Amino acid sequence: MRRFTWFNATSLTLGFAFLYIPMIIVIIYSFNDSRLVTVWGGFSTRWYGELLQNEAFLDAAWVTLQVAVLSSLIATVLGTMGAYVLVRGGRFFGRTLFSGMMYAPLVMPEVITGLSLLLLFISIGLDRGLITIVLAHATFAMCYVSVVVSSRLVSFDRSIEEAALDLGCTPFDAFRSVTLPIIAPAVISGWLLALTLSLDDLVIASFVAGPSATTLPIKVFSSVRLGVSPEINALSTILIGLVTIGTITASISTKRAVLRRKREEQMAEQMT
Amino acid sequence: MPENVFAPWNDPAEKPLIQFKNVTKRFGDFTAVDDLSIDIYEKEFFALLGPSGCGKTTMMRMLAGFEKPTSGTILLDGKDISPIPPNKRSVNMMFQSYALFPHLTVYDNIAFGLKRSDMPKDQIDDRVQKMLKLVQIEKFAKRKPEQISGGQRQRVALARALAKAPKLLLLDEPLSALDKKLRQDTQFELMDIQEKTGTTFVIVTHDQEEAMTVASRVAVMNFGKLIQVDTPTQIYEAPNSTYVADFIGDVNIITGHAVGVNQTETIGSNDTETVSITWAEGQQPIIATTAQPTLTGKVSFVIRPEKLNITAERPSDASNAFQGKVLDIAYLGNLSTYHVEMPDGQIIKAQATNARRRANRAFTWEDEVWLSWTDTAGVVIAE
């Protein structure tokens, strides 16, 4: 299968070019000395310096981070609880309806989610700001968390929980000391998903953000509409760098865990 | 019955540990357990045997507290256990999947229940060490469940369930995940551990050999009802129905019409009566004895293949002898099963032990042979 053919080489090159050329251009132009984005004026890191002086961007970044952490935590707790009830709650009236409703926001256009949240916040008289963005993000992210956690719960051997009850745990104790540690990887990946969704979101945030709090995606989007400044390129490069580091770290640690498990299994086999 | 034989079920003074009283369990329209009553005694190794869906697992789950009976009561030590949640019952369970906690070491798995009991902290370690020793897994105390083999996991599950010294231990198909050889060794070990700890064991299994090997009594179930509850020997040698006879081991079932011969004899303490069964046209009737008085009408005559003699000549002294033709031979190593076709087309199986290593097979395909058996070799069951 590992044959080198010109067809393979070409399709690989084209594919990666398609994916990465835009990003490479952004990275290259972030080191452009010229104020004009399309004209190369020599190498410089001045836009990174200016970015760090830009209060508006830094504020927006800080807001984004706060929103992401808070909303993803709320979404993780609520999403895990929802998944647990839907998977473990047994049959109850309207269960299918509930689980359908849990997944509906996944396919709902963001514009509608944003608009309906906006209407809700106005009608209850909640001032738009940090809190409304946190609530909105928690709302749509908890569905994603719930999907991730419930897929783990479905494949999880129910008798492990029963064994905990059998050995003297109250239902809450069984959840805390047995279920939660076992589903922890799914809960963590759900949380990471909620975190990235929140960091990423533009549409919903633009509906529910107020003058007192603006997230980074909104800030970037609105400043690009006035013309792309080289500062944006620098910011994008930093973000690309962070994401790359994060992805590489995650994949290395997964690979290590797999290797370790394989080694342990081999050891166990040798012992018998 | 001799004094030293363990048979509390025959002693009216003995109090049962568990009593099912008219217990019914329904799931929607499906009746899993149907108006079932049974007594299980202390120190028994009691097997619930039946095909899947017969209600045996439901009975076990009701004992553990994971299911509540729809009607009827279950008494443990004379007390109704229905309102008691599983974590408050002195009943522990060994799960079919073992259900070990994957995030805890073998040691912590065994200590899990003890830490949630009122046992003082300094005694927990002693108890865990004792359990590790009992099931011979001291070496693996620090390992996680995924770092040990299937057989070792099974031992951990057993040790964990026994750690709290429950009054009753439930075993749900405990050996089904092991390969045959390991399973047989473990069966003897289970019996040994049961004897050492003096705990009452209730085992659920669909493997009749396993039930026969380990249990003091076997309950054969079907469609939520008990068909027969008896010792393994009685279940095998004196099945009360063709269902039990067919479910346990290999069997020939011959249907016919019984006529009493009115020849009552006393063997031991049981009065037996001889009946003659007409079963095929042009054949001598089968002569058999039965403990059931005046059994006439439509009956099934049930006889195990190893109770038949297969010979070339007609034996002179047998009560029953019929000629047939060898149709098939199954060589199993330790024994051979001959499928013999009777003149009317019925096929009767007969087994012969291969006691000698290099004997030429006495019979081959198409040979005319005689099948014979004594009048006590089979069981007569009314239809």
Side-chain angles (χ1 to χ4, degrees), chain A:
Chain A
M1 286 305 283
R2 279 196 200 173
R3 257 183 312 162
F4 176 88
T5 63
W6 284 110
F7 177 76
N8 286 355
T10 319
S11 47
L12 193 72
T13 316
L14 282 178
F16 275 100
F18 197 77
L19 283 173
Y20 286 101
I21 283 177
M23 283 192 221
I24 291 168
I25 289 176
V26 166
I27 293 170
I28 292 169
Y29 274 101
S30 73
F31 296 105
N32 186 0
D33 193 42
S34 162
R35 173 162 285 281
L36 294 166
V37 175
T38 45
V39 179
W40 183 254
F43 180 84
S44 140
T45 53
R46 68 183 260 226
W47 300 114
Y48 288 88
E50 277 190 31
L51 182 69
L52 292 177
Q53 306 291 315
N54 190 329
E55 287 283 327
F57 271 131
L58 291 179
D59 276 354
W62 176 233
V63 168
T64 308
L65 202 65
Q66 280 174 296
V67 167
V69 170
L70 283 174
S71 70
S72 63
L73 285 177
I74 296 172
T76 306
V77 173
L78 292 179
T80 305
M81 279 162 64
Y84 190 78
V85 171
L86 286 175
V87 175
R88 285 284 186 268
R91 282 184 217 165
F92 55 87
F93 181 74
R95 179 187 156 146
T96 321
L97 183 69
F98 274 115
S99 48
M101 279 162 66
M102 200 78 186
Y103 298 141
L106 295 182
V107 290
M108 191 80 77
E110 286 188 327
V111 178
I112 294 175
T113 312
L115 183 66
S116 55
L117 283 164
L118 174 67
L119 291 177
L120 173 76
F121 293 143
I122 291 171
S123 66
I124 61 171
L126 195 60
D127 279 340
R128 280 176 288 152
L130 190 73
I131 294 173
T132 51
I133 310 175
V134 169
L135 288 178
H137 280 181
T139 308
F140 86 95
M142 72 172 269
C143 306
Y144 289 86
V145 175
S146 163
V147 170
V148 173
V149 173
S150 52
S151 69
R152 176 73 187 97
L153 278 173
V154 167
S155 65
F156 172 116
D157 182 7
R158 175 95 210 242
S159 58
I160 293 180
E161 280 165 7
E162 285 179 343
L165 294 176
D166 188 62
L167 291 167
C169 283
T170 60
F172 178 74
D173 190 18
F175 178 78
R176 195 186 53 81
S177 57
V178 173
T179 313
L180 202 55
I182 296 173
I183 62 168
V187 174
I188 290 169
S189 52
W191 172 69
L192 284 174
L193 187 63
L195 196 75
T196 35
L197 284 170
S198 169
L199 288 173
D200 224 28
D201 171 67
L202 170 68
V203 180
I204 292 174
S206 63
F207 275 99
V208 297
S212 63
T214 307
T215 64
L216 199 55
I218 297 176
K219 189 76 201 158
V220 171
F221 187 67
S222 54
S223 52
V224 166
R225 289 169 74 178
L226 304 171
V228 181
S229 89
E231 275 176 298
I232 300 284
N233 288 343
L235 180 67
S236 307
T237 306
I238 291 172
L239 289 177
I240 290 172
L242 287 176
V243 169
T244 311
I245 291 168
T247 315
I248 290 173
T249 319
S251 72
I252 287 177
S253 67
T254 315
K255 196 153 200 176
R256 279 202 182 148
V258 170
L259 283 176
R260 197 179 56 222
R261 181 166 312 149
K262 263 193 189 155
R263 215 172 34 238
E264 281 169 351
E265 273 168 10
Q266 272 171 3
M267 246 168 64
E269 267 169 33
Q270 280 164 10
M271 292 297 291
T272 53

Side-chain angles (χ1 to χ4, degrees), chain B residues 321-340:
Chain B
F322 302 98
Q323 199 175 24
K325 201 164 65 179
V326 177
L327 197 70
D328 251 322
I329 306 170
Y331 175 70
L332 302 172
N334 55 344
L335 27 90
S336 294
T337 305
Y338 296 89
H339 291 215
V340 178

Side-chain angles (χ1 to χ4, degrees), chain B residues 49-322:
Chain B
L49 176 66
S52 52
C54 71
K56 56 191 195 305
T57 305
T58 309
M59 275 183 75
M60 172 162 287
R61 292 176 62 80
M62 286 194 287
L63 280 172
F66 301 130
E67 307 286 354
K68 280 204 166 83
T70 313
S71 66
T73 47
I74 303 170
L75 306 179
L76 178 70
D77 251 355
K79 269 175 282 186
D80 184 4
I81 53 171
S82 308
I84 305 172
N87 52 334
K88 298 263 161 46
R89 295 186 182 192
S90 66
V91 173
N92 284 126
M93 181 154 168
M94 186 183 151
F95 292 82
Q96 183 174 11
S97 59
Y98 307 147
L100 298 179
F101 306 128
H103 59 297
L104 299 178
T105 60
V106 166
Y107 183 97
D108 288 330
N109 261 284
I110 298 172
F112 190 90
L114 299 172
K115 284 179 184 161
R116 280 156 184 83
S117 68
D118 45 16
M119 183 180 270
K121 278 213 166 72
D122 47 322
Q123 287 173 30
I124 291 179
D125 184 59
D126 273 2
R127 182 73 186 159
V128 175
Q129 296 300 348
K130 215 170 140 192
M131 286 298 122
L132 286 167
K133 204 167 167 194
L134 181 71
V135 297
Q136 301 162 20
I137 44 168
E138 298 105 312
K139 279 195 288 184
F140 309 110
K142 294 275 177 294
R143 299 248 188 127
K144 292 274 181 69
E146 63 182 23
Q147 294 165 279
I148 57 179
S149 71
Q152 290 157 357
R153 271 177 223 165
Q154 185 263 344
R155 285 154 189 273
V156 179
L158 182 63
R160 185 181 69 178
L162 280 170
K164 291 180 84 176
K167 278 184 192 156
L168 172 65
L169 183 75
L170 307 170
L171 303 109
D172 186 6
E173 306 262 3
L175 311 176
S176 61
L178 306 181
D179 59 58
K180 195 173 179 196
K181 203 148 181 71
L182 190 57
R183 192 161 67 222
Q184 285 170 346
D185 294 345
T186 316
Q187 281 166 2
F188 287 105
E189 234 173 292
L190 263 186
M191 290 158 74
D192 197 38
I193 287 170
Q194 195 257 347
E195 233 163 81
K196 263 191 217 161
T197 57
T199 313
T200 311
F201 278 28
V202 172
I203 185 173
V204 157
T205 179
H206 67 273
D207 179 350
Q208 42 114 347
E209 238 173 77
E210 185 171 298
M212 305 281 281
T213 310
V214 298
S216 58
R217 276 197 304 164
V218 177
V220 182
M221 291 184 72
N222 198 23
F223 299 121
K225 284 189 178 297
L226 292 171
I227 311 292
Q228 187 171 6
V229 183
D230 227 321
T231 59
T233 324
Q234 285 292 310
I235 294 263
Y236 187 78
E237 302 291 1
N240 68 356
S241 60
T242 49
Y243 175 79
V244 173
D246 200 25
F247 191 75
I248 313 280
D250 213 357
V251 76
N252 294 299
I253 298 173
I254 301 164
T255 52
H257 212 83
V259 183
V261 186
N262 288 333
Q263 184 185 349
T264 312
E265 248 187 294
T266 308
I267 299 170
S269 58
N270 297 322
D271 281 347
T272 60
E273 193 172 309
T274 305
V275 291
S276 85
I277 305 159
T278 48
W279 59 284
E281 245 174 83
Q283 290 279 17
Q284 289 288 316
I286 293 169
I287 307 296
T289 57
T290 169
Q292 285 165 279
T294 62
L295 183 72
T296 51
K298 202 164 178 288
V299 293
S300 291
F301 178 70
V302 165
I303 186 162
R304 303 280 178 195
E306 75 276 8
K307 305 282 191 294
L308 295 163
N309 286 315
I310 180 163
T311 48
E313 302 293 323
R314 187 186 208 287
S316 53
D317 55 344
S319 330
N320 299 288
F322 302 98

